[in-house]
Amino acid sequence: MPTQEHMKAVMQSYIDGFAAGDAAALAALFAEDAVIEDPVGNPEIHGREAIAEFYANAVASGAKLTLDAPIRGSHGSKAAMAFTVEVPGLMRIRAVDTMAFNEEGLVVRMEAFWGPEDIEM
Amino acid sequence: MPTQEHMKAVMQSYIDGFAAGDAAALAALFAEDAVIEDPVGNPEIHGREAIAEFYANAVASGAKLTLDAPIRGSHGSKAAMAFTVEVPGLMRIRAVDTMAFNEEGLVVRMEAFWGPEDIEM
């Protein structure tokens, strides 16, 4: 099982990847067969290739993430964080992301909780 | 599908239920066959009777919850919130809870993300 420290470091790297505009670094956090559901309720995105494309688009928007509170771990192989996404000149999104990790410490599933009313234009 | 407004109101009622020390009000937010995993990684608790007992113990500890950031919805039937639990004289726990809802607007699954390092004594 990945350590608490490792999972939180990965989630911080996710924040940092957006800060650096580094989509490849973001995609590299995920397992080859990872699944993301962002936002929860939208169709899932399967596999690192599709995930890399998703983050290329996200990074191209100029989105930057700021933690709203310290990253949370668990007693298992999942962690969560509350943050705000700022897309310059466009909108601000309040989100919670949960991530599940595999034995190698890669993210196998990410779910992003944000709804239509969590966006400020 | 439950509305964003409804899901967020239920999560606020969860905070308010602890504030009021009302374990019955907390248990009433859940469906008869609901499951809670609190914390994530611990054995699940199944069914409203066991859930009611869980919250009776939690309320008896004097635990009070304070939101760290606004409650998040989704584009589906799930919502999430980051908050801090204060157990008077004992500890403070930083947590994220996610809740999934059924068509009737009751919680069918709650997962609480907090690990050993998210506790301050």
Side-chain angles (χ1 to χ4, degrees), chain A residues 8 40 68 72-73 75 118, chain B residues 8 40 68 72-73 75 118:
Chain A
K8 291 182 180 182
V40 167
D68 288 342
R72 274 65 158 156
H75 287 64
D118 300 318
Chain B
K8 291 183 179 182
V40 167
D68 288 343
R72 273 70 156 152
H75 286 63
D118 302 317

Side-chain angles (χ1 to χ4, degrees), chain B residues 12-33:
Chain B
Q12 183 61 53
S13 295
Y14 187 84
I15 304 275
D16 296 344
F18 276 97
D22 188 345
L26 290 166
L29 302 174
F30 290 82
E32 197 58 54
D33 60 349

Side-chain angles (χ1 to χ4, degrees), chain A residues 3-111:
Chain A
T3 64
Q4 299 295 310
E5 194 180 10
H6 173 80
M7 294 191 295
K8 291 182 180 182
V10 169
M11 293 189 101
Q12 183 60 52
S13 296
Y14 187 85
I15 304 275
D16 297 344
F18 276 98
D22 189 343
L26 289 165
L29 302 173
F30 290 81
E32 197 58 54
D33 60 348
V35 175
I36 68 178
E37 188 180 350
D38 184 353
V40 167
N42 269 21
E44 295 175 343
I45 294 171
H46 289 258
R48 191 145 63 182
E49 191 178 326
I51 288 171
E53 189 185 336
F54 176 82
Y55 286 113
N57 291 331
V59 162
S61 76
K64 305 296 176 195
L65 281 51
T66 308
L67 283 173
D68 288 342
I71 299 167
R72 274 65 158 156
S74 69
H75 287 64
S77 55
K78 293 183 184 177
M81 61 180 176
F83 59 97
T84 300
V85 184
E86 177 93 39
V87 185
L90 190 60
M91 60 185 172
R92 185 174 292 142
I93 306 173
R94 292 185 296 272
V96 163
D97 277 10
T98 64
M99 296 190 189
F101 294 77
N102 66 13
E103 290 296 324
E104 287 73 43
L106 294 169
V107 179
V108 289
R109 185 175 182 90
M110 185 275 273
E111 297 185 3

Side-chain angles (χ1 to χ4, degrees), chain B residues 22-110:
Chain B
D22 188 345
L26 290 166
L29 302 174
F30 290 82
E32 197 58 54
D33 60 349
V35 175
I36 68 179
E37 188 179 352
D38 184 353
V40 167
N42 268 20
E44 295 175 342
I45 295 172
H46 288 256
R48 191 144 64 184
E49 190 175 328
I51 288 171
E53 189 184 336
F54 176 83
Y55 286 113
N57 291 331
V59 161
S61 76
K64 304 295 177 195
L65 281 51
T66 308
L67 283 173
D68 288 343
I71 299 166
R72 273 70 156 152
S74 70
H75 286 63
S77 55
K78 293 182 182 177
M81 61 180 177
F83 59 96
T84 300
V85 183
E86 177 95 39
V87 185
L90 190 60
M91 60 184 172
R92 186 175 292 143
I93 307 174
R94 291 183 295 273
V96 162
D97 277 10
T98 64
M99 296 190 189
F101 295 77
N102 65 12
E103 292 295 325
E104 287 72 46
L106 293 170
V107 180
V108 289
R109 185 173 183 93
M110 187 275 273

